[in-house]
Amino acid sequence: MEQGRLFIISGPSGSGKDTVLKTYFDRHSDYEFSVSTITRPKRDKSDEQKYNFTSRENFLRLIEEDKLLEYAEYCGNFYGTPREPVEKWISEGKDVFVEVETVGAAKIKAKMPEAVSIFILPPSLSVLKKRLSGRATETAEQLEKRLKKAADEMKRSVDYDYIVINDRLEEAADCFERIILADRQRTERNKNFINEVLENA
């Protein structure tokens, strides 16, 4: 059985990475999505679909036992990507997607260099600002902080294997899908098939 592939997805808030991913997931079913393990309290029922909740003590145990591909502490709470389910799905031949910020992406890539990293970019900072301000959920000061963070994240996009520019969603989703499909045709992923063809020649 061919191994699956890990796809690391990053992009600043407002880049539309969640929508691009959802579009791909709506089109396909042969994938797994890695859910983050976190220690903060649940906010509502929808949280249960996005995160696995655990105690701080258990999270520290996961760190000690090297059971996380990456983790970070933010505002007193831990967030991390569990290693075991990702490795299990890949061994079963399934493609796995993990959505993570740039620092976490670098940590995963260091542990699993064969992973494919994709960065979702807005077409410009002005478009990003328009998208974020359109939410009307933040003060002007908070918006500027978010834009600065976005710019810092975008500087690290050069470290990724692929870039998807999300100007028009349909085009961005198609581009994202082509990257996944092209990766499946890599020679290294099809050596067993090549051998089968030769054996049956």
Side-chain angles (χ1 to χ4, degrees):
M1 177 187 295
E2 288 294 334
Q3 293 238 322
R5 182 78 84 186
L6 176 61
F7 292 93
I8 305 168
I9 315 301
S10 301
S13 178
S15 64
K17 60 183 179 297
D18 290 338
T19 310
V20 171
L21 273 172
K22 184 180 183 305
T23 303
Y24 179 83
F25 294 161
D26 286 344
R27 296 175 180 177
H28 300 271
S29 59
D30 53 341
Y31 70 89
E32 296 288 348
F33 183 74
S34 176
V35 177
S36 295
T37 295
I38 69 173
T39 61
R40 73 159 171 76
K42 296 179 186 178
R43 292 171 184 159
D44 52 49
K45 286 189 176 181
S46 65
D47 261 1
E48 296 176 2
Q49 300 173 355
K50 300 177 183 177
Y51 306 108
N52 288 322
F53 291 87
T54 190
S55 67
R56 185 180 181 88
E57 293 73 21
N58 188 56
F59 198 101
L60 292 173
R61 190 178 307 114
L62 293 175
I63 295 174
E64 184 179 344
E65 296 174 356
D66 194 27
K67 291 187 176 180
L68 297 169
L69 289 174
E70 60 82 29
Y71 69 90
E73 187 175 12
Y74 180 72
C75 294
N77 295 306
F78 282 107
Y79 298 74
T81 302
R83 178 193 291 270
E84 187 176 337
V86 170
E87 292 181 341
K88 176 178 176 291
W89 289 326
I90 290 174
S91 69
E92 293 172 347
K94 298 176 182 177
D95 286 338
V96 183
F97 293 83
V98 56
E99 183 185 334
V100 66
E101 42 74 45
T102 54
V103 175
K107 291 179 180 178
I108 296 176
K109 191 75 169 177
K111 291 183 177 180
M112 302 181 71
E114 71 280 5
V116 178
S117 56
I118 305 172
F119 196 94
I120 311 297
L121 270 173
S124 67
L125 279 173
S126 60
V127 169
L128 183 65
K129 183 175 183 178
K130 185 177 180 181
R131 289 177 182 175
L132 291 174
S133 59
R135 296 176 179 178
T137 57
E138 298 173 316
T139 65
E141 182 180 358
Q142 289 172 328
L143 179 60
E144 286 306 313
K145 285 183 178 179
R146 192 175 287 277
L147 285 170
K148 183 181 183 304
K149 181 181 179 183
D152 290 340
E153 288 178 314
M154 289 163 65
K155 289 175 184 176
R156 301 193 65 168
S157 65
V158 296
D159 298 326
Y160 284 68
D161 298 314
Y162 296 95
I163 297 295
V164 172
I165 300 171
N166 185 16
D167 187 3
R168 295 178 177 83
L169 173 60
E170 195 66 24
E171 291 178 8
D174 288 345
C175 180
F176 184 88
E177 184 174 36
R178 287 195 296 270
I179 291 170
I180 308 302
L181 296 176
D183 183 75
R184 291 178 180 170
Q185 308 310 313
R186 283 178 181 265
T187 303
E188 65 187 73
R189 296 195 68 178
N190 289 279
K191 287 182 179 178
N192 286 347
F193 178 74
I194 294 169
N195 291 333
E196 288 177 9
V197 170
L198 292 173
E199 288 173 0
N200 294 322

